[in-house]
Amino acid sequence: MHRVTRNHLIYAMGPEQAPALRIAGPGTLVFETCDCFEDQIQSADAAFGELDWQRVNPATGPVYIDEAQPGDVLAVHIERIALNRQAVMVTAPKLGVCGDQISAPTIRVIPIADGHATLPQGVRVPLNPMIGVIGTAPAGAPVSCGTPDAHGGNMDCKIIAEGTTLYLPVNVPGALLAMGDLHAAMGDGEVSVCGMEIAGEVTVRVAVLKNHELPTPMAQTADAIYTIASAPLLDDAANLAARNMASFVSKRAGMSIDDAVNLLSVAGDLQICQVVDPQKTCRYALPKSIARQLNISLQDA
């Protein structure tokens, strides 16, 4: 098992990032992560105006995997997400989809205990630990860790959780995997511009799928296979997620694109991940009960 400490933070994913760790091939990694504010907020009394927004959405890493070469796919199986004992959330004018209804910034510190978070007025919300930022390096210009794209990044997709395997493209030698921005819980849309932002640790098992063609990013859970797509407009992200799944099903099942599209229209689900980042993100879910009938499967890490 290899550990990547929170001393190794990056703010953009790119091909020139110096590796924090180098491994030969398949293995288990533990990533120590800060919250999305790089732990600048320790109490509700923190001064919102003094936050350093250049330190937002740091990712821990990257990790260079010797076996990974352009054209491969990196399978990342999320074994465990361990959370700290408190999360933070903020609201402020012009942030999120309701920022025009908010007159002044607020900071909330949210206690975590017994599998629940306690919100104002005593509302208890069950935890759904998930990874907001996870990706490999793009081949071209670096992409801010706050922005999702074809390499992964700030997808804020709540199914990227324990037990999920995420499939990411290998665009550069070594892949350069990094992750951060954990959430104790988050609803689809992330409408306030943040989930329950929290520091913690993520244990993953990685494997390289050689010369493996997938419309990455993709994910699989116990119940479904997903395509994930990001674009400047929500409609475009939704269209891309659906088109990628239709193409994937058509090729893997050997069926016409017409039949694949009809199948998805009645048996699949188009879902929103987030609508507040520089690019919006959607996912398309194909139930495994359908995939099994078509003999479609994805290799695990």
Side-chain angles (χ1 to χ4, degrees):
M1 182 179 294
H2 307 273
R3 178 173 291 270
V4 190
T5 70
R6 51 189 286 159
N7 296 326
H8 300 281
L9 298 179
I10 59 173
Y11 301 90
M13 296 182 182
E16 303 303 322
Q17 292 285 3
L21 175 70
R22 188 165 183 159
I23 64 173
T28 300
L29 301 163
V30 178
F31 289 80
E32 300 176 0
T33 69
C34 301
D35 71 24
C36 82
F37 300 108
E38 202 179 312
D39 302 339
Q40 295 179 74
I41 300 172
Q42 293 299 315
S43 75
D45 298 327
F48 184 87
E50 295 179 7
L51 291 177
D52 183 352
W53 292 91
Q54 301 303 309
R55 296 165 56 195
V56 169
N57 278 323
T60 301
V63 172
Y64 188 107
I65 300 146
D66 288 345
E67 185 184 355
Q69 294 298 320
D72 298 336
V73 169
L74 186 67
V76 183
H77 181 73
I78 303 164
E79 294 187 339
R80 183 169 181 263
I81 300 175
L83 304 176
N84 284 12
R85 293 187 177 182
Q86 70 176 29
V88 299
M89 296 191 73
V90 304
T91 53
K94 299 182 180 180
L95 289 184
V97 300
C98 301
D100 60 338
Q101 298 176 275
I102 293 170
S103 58
T106 60
I107 292 175
R108 299 282 187 255
V109 174
I110 301 164
I112 304 293
D114 302 323
H116 286 77
T118 303
L119 298 176
Q121 295 187 267
V123 177
R124 281 168 52 83
V125 176
L127 301 185
N128 172 36
M130 47 83 67
I131 305 170
V133 172
I134 181 169
T136 53
V143 177
S144 165
C145 289
T147 299
D149 211 328
H151 69 293
N154 194 25
M155 295 178 286
D156 285 321
C157 177
K158 72 180 186 181
I159 59 102
I160 302 178
E162 287 184 357
T164 293
T165 300
L166 182 66
Y167 300 85
L168 295 167
V170 178
N171 302 304
V172 301
L176 297 178
L177 174 68
M179 65 186 72
D181 183 33
L182 302 186
H183 300 143
M186 193 197 83
D188 282 338
E190 198 188 22
V191 296
S192 80
V193 87
C194 64
M196 288 185 192
E197 309 294 339
I198 194 164
E201 290 187 358
V202 184
T203 303
V204 301
R205 186 173 67 254
V206 299
V208 177
L209 309 182
K210 302 301 292 182
N211 301 309
H212 204 75
E213 185 179 352
L214 290 176
T216 51
M218 290 190 74
Q220 73 167 326
T221 65
D223 300 319
I225 294 171
Y226 297 84
T227 48
I228 305 171
S230 300
L233 299 178
L234 184 59
D235 282 358
D236 292 339
N239 291 345
L240 184 56
R243 290 169 69 91
N244 283 350
M245 182 61 82
S247 177
F248 171 75
V249 169
S250 176
K251 290 177 181 177
R252 286 296 182 97
M255 64 167 52
S256 70
I257 192 67
D258 309 66
D259 288 338
V261 170
N262 278 338
L263 173 66
L264 296 184
S265 195
V266 298
D269 289 298
L270 181 59
Q271 302 164 346
I272 291 173
C273 298
Q274 59 78 28
V275 296
V276 294
D277 293 336
Q279 296 210 102
K280 318 309 178 194
T281 307
C282 289
R283 63 184 182 267
Y284 198 97
L286 175 69
K288 280 193 171 177
S289 60
I290 301 297
R292 282 191 290 268
Q293 295 179 59
L294 299 172
N295 293 317
I296 293 174
S297 62
L298 289 175
Q299 184 176 339
D300 204 345

